[in-house]
Amino acid sequence: MSVLGHLEPNKVFYYFEEICKIPHGSGNTKEISDYLANFAKERNLKYTQDELGNVIISKEATAGKESSEGIVIQGHMDMVAVHKPELDIDMTKEPLKLMVAGDDIYAEGTSLGGDDGIAIAYALAILDSDDLIHPHLDVIITVDEEIGLLGAEAIDVSDVKGTRLLNLDSEEEGCFWVGCAGGARVDHRISLERETKDGTVYTCRIDGLQGGHSGVEIHKERGNAISLIGRLLFALKEEEIGVISIEGGLADNAIPRVATLTFVADAENEAVLAEKICAFEAVLQYELATKDPGVKVVFEKANDGKGEVAVLTKASEECVRNFLLAMPNGVQAMSADMEGLVQTSLNSGIICTKEKELILSQSVRSSIQSERDALIEKTVALTALAGGTSTVSGKYPGWAYNPKSTLRDLCVKVYKDMTGKEPMVQAIHAGLECGLFIEKRPDFDAVSMGPNMKNIHTTEETLSISSVISVWNFLCKLLEEA
């Protein structure tokens, strides 16, 4: 039974619901790529599907619009697929369970993938329409944007006819993004040595944080569970514990909400440990009272001490503790040219412990390429001092403001005509694929926009129904006037 079938515009919500039935987390996009290709085949639309799964679909201009410059509608097909720890779901195989509450669409227990499923829904609804007026259309849907803009980096757009690029990968109605930061993913590896230790196994979990998108919400200075685990280790450095593992985070570009330290200690010291952990929790709750008021530190016994456990040697424990404590995180510089814009930042997004190594994955961003590279070099140097190695991947360029953008001017005009309001026109710290497309095609004139979404990349993600409708009406008018 359809959850969104009663909503209008029917085709937009129909295609969004269809997309949500197809698992499409990053790295798992073949099925949705084939769905898009079959959509084009069934409608006799010209399309290409490359080896990675990127899809480009074209549609000729409607009568009277043949001489207008073509529009490129662009988004990505992958989502950050996360679920609540207590939910038993395989997001590589199972569909999302859509729910509606008032004006919000959400997925029960999981992320929704409105970022960027709504772009696909808009694009398919436009391509499937027989009554919209529009110039020549090229729809570009890429793979694996969320793990380093990999699809946009590899796609060939040399044969794309249109030059006015409308990216539908933003989350604030009435805001037109006209520039973005460049970035990269950095994976750091620290070698570990282990020994055996007998005792009771405990877990200490940093939890209750809001998390969020490391580009859109990094300026809010919310708690980063991985960085806080480094501080927790420092708070316990005088205690006789044996570290087993540190685990936390789900994506390099998502601010981690939860991280867990698992360790061994003598049961006789449990009360002292509990006291120190409680004191540490009080410190965090004071510091984050306004920014992240739900923070908590959960201390639990995992077993009662039966046999020896492999733990880090004291030297490895000290190395990891110092590494995590010294690693920078969050906003590093604000723009002096655009008020309120983060210029440079980094986010420690994933940490995991293997038998012989600890891996920390980060997202580094800057609107100034030299600052991005300098920050990457700083983290690499810090890792080298800890005896580790680093790998940089998924580098993508920033997107510079174009003072002569005719598409931006048209978007502003249509928005003002429809609403009587001035839209926001600004740059964003988050990474968008526009920079890579403009690097490939300097003739592209780009604007990014989208409907209202909240808490993207988290299990609290929501998509506004009324905003989806408003943006659809805007898109139809924009295509008519383009």
Side-chain angles (χ1 to χ4, degrees):
M1 182 177 177
S2 174
V3 177
L4 308 181
H6 63 291
L7 298 175
E8 294 287 347
N10 181 261
K11 284 188 177 180
V12 175
F13 289 107
Y14 167 79
Y15 283 118
F16 185 75
E17 189 162 5
E18 289 297 295
I19 290 159
C20 291
K21 295 176 183 177
I22 304 170
H24 57 283
S26 300
N28 184 41
T29 54
K30 184 180 187 307
E31 187 177 354
I32 194 165
S33 175
D34 290 344
Y35 174 87
L36 296 172
N38 288 331
F39 171 94
K41 287 179 189 176
E42 291 168 1
R43 290 155 183 80
N44 295 315
L45 297 172
K46 181 181 177 182
Y47 79 97
T48 60
Q49 182 182 29
D50 66 20
E51 291 182 357
L52 286 180
N54 295 308
V55 174
I56 302 175
I57 306 173
S58 300
K59 186 176 184 180
E60 294 304 316
T62 55
K65 301 292 287 186
E66 296 89 349
S67 62
S68 297
E69 187 59 48
I71 291 283
V72 180
I73 298 172
Q74 192 268 316
H76 61 88
M77 66 184 80
D78 64 315
M79 65 176 283
V80 174
V82 296
H83 63 85
K84 292 182 177 179
E86 65 271 19
L87 184 65
D88 183 17
I89 184 173
D90 184 350
M91 295 189 72
T92 68
K93 298 177 181 178
E94 298 179 48
L96 304 179
K97 187 175 181 181
L98 292 185
M99 308 290 285
V100 175
D103 189 50
D104 290 332
I105 301 170
Y106 67 97
E108 188 173 51
T110 70
S111 49
L112 174 66
D115 173 18
D116 196 21
I118 193 60
I120 305 176
Y122 281 138
L124 297 187
I126 290 168
L127 291 171
D128 201 25
S129 172
D130 295 324
D131 54 10
L132 288 182
I133 300 170
H134 58 78
H136 175 88
L137 296 175
D138 296 294
V139 170
I140 303 175
I141 308 294
T142 56
V143 301
D144 295 343
E145 186 268 356
E146 299 289 6
I147 53 175
L149 285 69
L150 304 183
E153 183 177 31
I155 195 171
D156 181 359
V157 292
S158 58
D159 291 333
V160 170
K161 183 177 177 181
T163 59
R164 293 183 289 179
L165 175 67
L166 191 62
N167 170 277
L168 299 179
D169 190 19
S170 296
E171 298 86 35
E172 188 174 355
E173 181 188 344
C175 187
F176 299 118
W177 303 107
V178 292
C180 74
R185 174 178 172 136
V186 189
D187 294 300
H188 307 287
R189 287 176 164 80
I190 303 295
S191 296
L192 303 175
E193 293 184 351
R194 291 186 180 268
E195 59 189 12
T196 57
K197 183 177 176 66
D198 192 12
T200 301
V201 178
Y202 296 94
T203 60
C204 194
R205 186 175 75 252
I206 308 286
D207 205 341
L209 299 168
Q210 297 178 75
H213 190 290
S214 69
V216 177
E217 292 165 314
I218 198 75
H219 67 287
K220 296 178 181 177
E221 298 184 324
R222 293 173 176 172
N224 179 300
I226 293 171
S227 294
L228 296 181
I229 281 286
R231 290 180 59 183
L232 173 63
L233 276 172
F234 193 79
L236 298 177
K237 73 173 184 175
E238 302 299 330
E239 304 306 314
E240 285 298 319
I241 68 170
V243 174
I244 299 172
S245 66
I246 304 171
E247 307 289 335
L250 298 166
D252 66 285
N253 60 358
I255 302 168
R257 306 169 65 188
V258 180
T260 303
L261 168 68
T262 304
F263 62 90
V264 168
D266 292 334
E268 292 80 6
N269 292 336
E270 184 175 317
V272 174
L273 288 167
E275 184 179 352
K276 286 206 169 185
I277 291 167
C278 185
F280 179 69
E281 179 186 56
V283 168
L284 296 188
Q285 289 175 343
Y286 176 76
E287 292 178 359
L288 298 171
T290 302
K291 298 173 183 176
D292 230 329
V295 65
K296 58 185 176 181
V297 185
V298 182
F299 179 46
E300 296 176 321
K301 184 185 293 185
N303 74 16
D304 291 320
K306 299 175 182 177
E308 294 184 328
V309 180
V311 302
L312 303 190
T313 63
K314 285 301 176 185
S316 284
E317 181 184 322
E318 181 181 15
C319 177
V320 168
R321 180 174 63 242
N322 292 339
F323 171 72
L324 293 179
L325 194 64
M327 181 61 72
N329 184 78
V331 176
Q332 303 296 299
M334 299 295 292
S335 173
D337 300 315
M338 187 171 290
E339 185 177 355
L341 176 67
V342 177
Q343 181 165 290
T344 304
S345 77
L346 78 165
N347 175 67
S348 293
I350 311 171
I351 192 168
C352 64
T353 312
K354 308 294 185 182
E355 181 183 355
K356 295 184 178 180
E357 67 176 0
L358 177 130
I359 306 171
L360 176 67
S361 300
Q362 296 178 311
S363 175
V364 179
R365 306 175 190 269
S366 182
S367 50
I368 298 179
Q369 185 168 311
S370 59
E371 281 197 10
R372 177 200 66 184
D373 293 343
L375 184 54
I376 290 171
E377 290 161 3
K378 180 177 183 177
T379 65
V380 169
L382 193 155
T383 304
L385 287 172
T389 60
S390 304
T391 304
V392 182
S393 61
K395 269 192 176 183
Y396 57 91
W399 164 26
Y401 175 76
N402 176 9
K404 298 180 180 179
S405 170
T406 58
L407 180 59
R408 179 194 64 237
D409 294 344
L410 178 61
C411 287
V412 170
K413 175 188 178 298
V414 171
Y415 184 84
K416 288 171 66 176
D417 289 347
M418 293 183 70
T419 68
K421 302 176 183 177
E422 285 282 349
M424 291 189 293
V425 178
Q426 57 192 61
I428 190 172
H429 186 58
L432 292 168
E433 294 169 295
C434 299
L436 279 166
F437 285 115
I438 291 171
E439 187 176 59
K440 295 170 185 284
R441 288 281 302 269
D443 59 328
F444 275 176
D445 178 13
V447 169
S448 180
M449 59 167 291
N452 292 332
M453 285 179 261
K454 295 179 181 177
N455 301 313
I456 61 171
H457 299 182
T458 77
T459 55
E460 278 68 51
E461 180 181 1
T462 60
L463 172 64
S464 165
I465 294 169
S466 59
S467 186
V468 168
I469 297 168
S470 296
V471 170
W472 169 254
N473 292 334
F474 171 86
L475 288 171
C476 294
K477 186 65 173 175
L478 182 74
L479 292 175
E480 183 179 339
E481 295 198 14

